Amino acid sequence: ILASQAAISMENATLYQNMLKLNLSYERFVPSQFLTLLGKENVTDVRLGDQIQKEMSILFSDIRSFTELSEKMSPEENFNFLNSYLKTMSPCVLNNNGFIDKYIGDAIMALFPLSAEDALKAAIEMQKQVRIYNNNRLRKNLDPISIGIGIHTGNLMLGTIGSEDRMEGTVISDAVNLASRMEGLTKQYGAAILISQGTLLKLPDPGLYNFRVLDRVRVKGKKDTVSVIEVIDGQPDFIIELFSKTKPDFERGVHYYIMHDL
């Protein structure tokens, strides 16, 4: 009897370990934060059409000139590069109460359900990590990279879409489109981090950060214009100092430009 009980205990322990490994494996594809927001204990509870509405900050990042960079590498080198880069960036999101919604090639889409400041801190940390990452690349005689990051804060719908046999978690909202637009504008303005006025106003103390207004843009499909704000933090100290000295004159020029454009 004792031997039989011991065998059952070992079998239960093995089953528990297998279930634990399975749950941890699922978390690599479906973030635990996503399940928590939907009010689900594990991925088996998720149903097609599950959804919530919530205000969040959305962060998009993208490597500049990635197509040109990838053309110099073999397919294997491309995968190795992307994985090394993404492994460097991902902790910046996780360490600031965010989670990665999806990878889109070299792009990252991350959500921050607690505060806009979490998203901005993650963006600043990402820019700092890129500088460290580039030092390692330069030691290997590889070209340095640069990234652009856009952030917007607003209401969105988070849930599951697809079909019963193939679904995925996603977010749908104008806020997502605007965050993506902010990231796209980093190329146009040569900026490292751009945030919307909606994100700036959600910061507990905007004065803690170095920023300047760049422009007002009209979002596709919308009548209202949106302020585009550049955050300098995360750059080398000499750049932050230079931008701080020129900020009053720069923003005065931007103001005259915007008023003339209106």
Side-chain angles (χ1 to χ4, degrees):
I1 295 175
L2 291 175
S4 177
Q5 289 177 339
I8 292 173
S9 296
M10 289 182 63
E11 184 178 345
N12 288 339
T14 301
L15 181 61
Y16 173 78
Q17 288 297 324
N18 288 338
M19 288 296 294
L20 185 62
K21 289 180 181 179
L22 184 61
N23 285 333
L24 291 174
S25 295
Y26 273 130
E27 285 188 12
R28 293 189 295 173
F29 295 93
V30 182
S32 59
Q33 298 97 320
F34 179 85
L35 297 178
T36 300
L37 287 167
L38 285 179
K40 307 296 182 180
E41 290 188 6
N42 56 65
V43 72
T44 58
D45 298 328
V46 177
R47 298 290 180 267
L48 182 65
D50 286 341
Q51 60 186 266
I52 62 155
Q53 181 173 340
K54 184 175 174 61
E55 181 180 273
M56 297 188 200
S57 291
I58 308 103
L59 178 152
F60 278 91
S61 73
D62 192 54
I63 299 177
R64 300 264 175 78
S65 304
F66 175 69
T67 301
E68 180 181 338
L69 183 66
S70 66
E71 287 175 348
K72 301 176 182 178
M73 297 184 285
S74 68
E76 182 180 2
E77 288 171 335
N78 262 299
F79 269 88
N80 291 338
F81 163 68
L82 280 176
N83 284 326
S84 70
Y85 163 73
L86 295 173
K87 282 192 292 187
T88 301
M89 295 294 103
S90 296
C92 302
V93 173
L94 301 178
N95 293 340
N96 289 284
N97 305 309
F99 66 96
I100 293 169
D101 180 74
K102 56 178 61 72
Y103 298 114
I104 313 165
D106 62 301
I108 297 173
M109 176 182 172
L111 303 175
F112 296 82
L114 299 183
S115 75
E117 190 164 40
D118 285 340
L120 182 54
K121 286 182 176 179
I124 293 169
E125 189 176 333
M126 289 169 75
Q127 291 293 352
K128 291 179 178 179
Q129 286 300 317
V130 165
R131 287 160 53 197
I132 298 172
Y133 186 72
N134 279 335
N135 288 335
N136 294 329
R137 286 181 63 80
L138 288 170
R139 281 196 290 268
K140 298 175 182 177
N141 294 319
L142 297 172
D143 293 332
I145 65 169
S146 60
I147 66 172
I149 302 173
I151 302 172
H152 177 59
T153 304
N155 286 314
L156 53 79
M157 295 296 297
L158 178 144
T160 56
I161 61 170
S163 61
E164 294 292 350
D165 58 341
R166 176 66 175 92
M167 68 180 76
E168 67 175 26
T170 192
V171 288
I172 301 172
S173 170
D174 285 343
V176 177
N177 297 333
L178 184 49
S180 178
R181 176 76 191 281
M182 285 290 159
E183 185 280 314
L185 288 172
T186 62
K187 305 178 183 71
Q188 179 175 328
Y189 295 109
I193 302 173
L194 291 181
I195 66 174
S196 65
Q197 184 176 357
T199 296
L200 182 69
L201 293 175
K202 291 291 182 177
L203 299 177
D205 186 358
L208 294 176
Y209 301 94
N210 295 284
F211 65 89
R212 63 185 187 180
V213 178
L214 285 187
D215 203 350
R216 288 188 65 85
V217 298
R218 197 176 307 279
V219 181
K220 185 178 181 181
K222 297 290 183 180
K223 294 181 179 180
D224 297 333
T225 57
V226 178
S227 292
V228 179
I229 298 157
E230 180 181 17
V231 177
I232 316 300
D233 298 280
Q235 301 302 308
D237 291 341
F238 76 91
I239 292 181
I240 295 176
E241 182 179 357
L242 177 62
F243 275 58
S244 297
K245 288 180 179 179
T246 58
K247 178 180 176 178
D249 291 337
F250 180 87
E251 289 195 331
R252 190 178 302 112
V254 169
H255 172 73
Y256 290 140
Y257 161 75
I258 292 174
M259 293 306 295
H260 174 75
D261 193 46
L262 294 175

